[in-house]
Amino acid sequence: EPEVTQTPSHQVTQMGQEVILRCVPISNHLYFYWYRQILGQKVEFLVSFYNNEISEKSEIFDDQFSVERPDGSNFTLKIRSTKLEDSAMYFCASSEIRGGTQETQYFGPGTRLLVL
Amino acid sequence: AQKITQTQPGMFVQEKEAVTLDCTYDTSDPSYGLFWYKQPSSGEMIFLIYQGSYDQQNATEGRYSLNFQKARKSANLVISASQLGDSAMYFCAMRGITGNQFYFGTGTSLTVIP
């Protein structure tokens, strides 16, 4: 069964460093998302991406964050200068289309980011 | 704006028994989707079941069923014949028609007792 994959599974970085989190969405999906989950808290939306541009973003997704689809398969989240409060699990998700059961967002296994 | 409320931070159930996890939502959108995800201790988010707001019947997927009461704005997850592997966090989520992000509840931690 097709699945969303994410690399790395764990990332430790120093405050102020740049990190790039990578995702490979399910191949026939058109909508891509990033969410984050701070330890013990609920999952929060960051950004959605469709047709090679951001379609929606939350207040969390400030100028420190950027997303890119550098090729036909990868979808990346870049954090330019990490802060301690960026420590969280970051989930990539994808969905086929909007509407009905096909809009189900399938999540990757997550990247656990720790900023020291 | 959409809001999801899960009022049970933790639940216990005996193995082989059924358990209901509560979820209420608030939205002004005329059309929306409701979803349940399971998050085991390993951290991944596993899709369980979907209910569309205009679906006439309650959704079912194997041992999972959704008790959808539109007038009450509730979408409770029912797990029948609980198994030890069902121990996990369970998140209710919804998506409206204004935007395509998912809104998640705070989750319910389910522990299945042998």
Side-chain angles (χ1 to χ4, degrees):
Chain A
E1 187 173 323
E3 57 184 19
V4 178
T5 59
Q6 288 184 244
T7 54
S9 58
H10 294 77
Q11 173 95 46
V12 181
T13 190
Q14 294 288 328
M15 192 169 58
Q17 294 295 305
E18 174 184 286
V19 294
I20 298 175
L21 310 183
R22 291 182 168 79
C23 169
V24 179
I26 295 173
S27 61
N28 63 330
H29 285 190
L30 301 177
Y31 292 85
F32 314 119
Y33 311 85
W34 284 101
Y35 291 82
R36 79 170 186 192
Q37 184 183 31
I38 294 171
L39 188 64
Q41 298 185 22
K42 67 178 177 181
V43 178
E44 301 172 291
F45 170 76
L46 293 177
V47 65
S48 62
F49 193 86
Y50 170 70
N51 201 26
N52 281 321
E53 60 183 25
I54 291 174
S55 52
E56 196 177 352
K57 61 182 181 179
S58 71
E59 291 175 353
I60 303 168
F61 194 87
D62 60 21
D63 292 343
Q64 291 244 92
F65 292 90
S66 62
V67 289
E68 194 178 31
R69 189 155 163 82
D71 53 44
S73 58
N74 289 285
F75 179 52
T76 62
L77 174 69
K78 182 193 289 186
I79 309 174
R80 270 181 258 285
S81 178
T82 49
K83 301 182 285 231
L84 295 177
E85 53 264 38
D86 293 329
S87 295
M89 179 78 101
Y90 287 81
F91 290 104
C92 174
S94 69
S95 64
E96 190 175 353
I97 60 173
R98 286 196 65 205
T101 54
Q102 293 95 334
E103 72 182 315
T104 297
Q105 293 183 18
Y106 292 90
F107 284 72
T111 293
R112 200 176 291 277
L113 177 66
L114 177 61
V115 183
L116 302 176
Chain B
Q2 335 292 347
K3 186 179 178 183
I4 290 282
T5 302
Q6 294 180 255
T7 57
Q8 306 155 312
M11 290 281 286
F12 291 86
V13 64
Q14 204 75 39
E15 194 178 5
K16 299 180 186 174
E17 297 289 310
V19 63
T20 298
L21 306 184
D22 294 343
C23 173
T24 57
Y25 60 90
D26 191 21
T27 181
S28 54
D29 286 357
S31 174
Y32 46 89
L34 295 156
F35 305 79
W36 277 91
Y37 287 84
K38 172 183 178 182
Q39 187 179 42
S41 56
S42 50
E44 71 266 36
M45 295 283 285
I46 302 166
F47 165 70
L48 295 178
I49 195 166
Y50 162 86
Q51 178 84 46
S53 59
Y54 285 106
D55 291 344
Q56 294 296 313
Q57 292 187 316
N58 286 341
T60 61
E61 285 287 346
R63 294 187 298 112
Y64 304 108
S65 60
L66 208 151
N67 183 1
F68 180 47
Q69 298 188 45
K70 195 170 182 178
R72 292 187 173 187
K73 292 190 174 180
S74 74
N76 299 337
L77 177 70
V78 180
I79 305 174
S80 63
S82 297
Q83 301 171 356
L84 296 179
D86 294 334
S87 294
M89 283 290 288
Y90 288 81
F91 289 95
C92 181
M94 76 171 295
R95 190 196 65 75
I97 58 172
T98 52
N100 50 13
Q101 62 168 290
F102 276 22
Y103 294 86
F104 283 83
T106 50
T108 296
S109 175
L110 177 67
T111 302
V112 181
I113 305 165

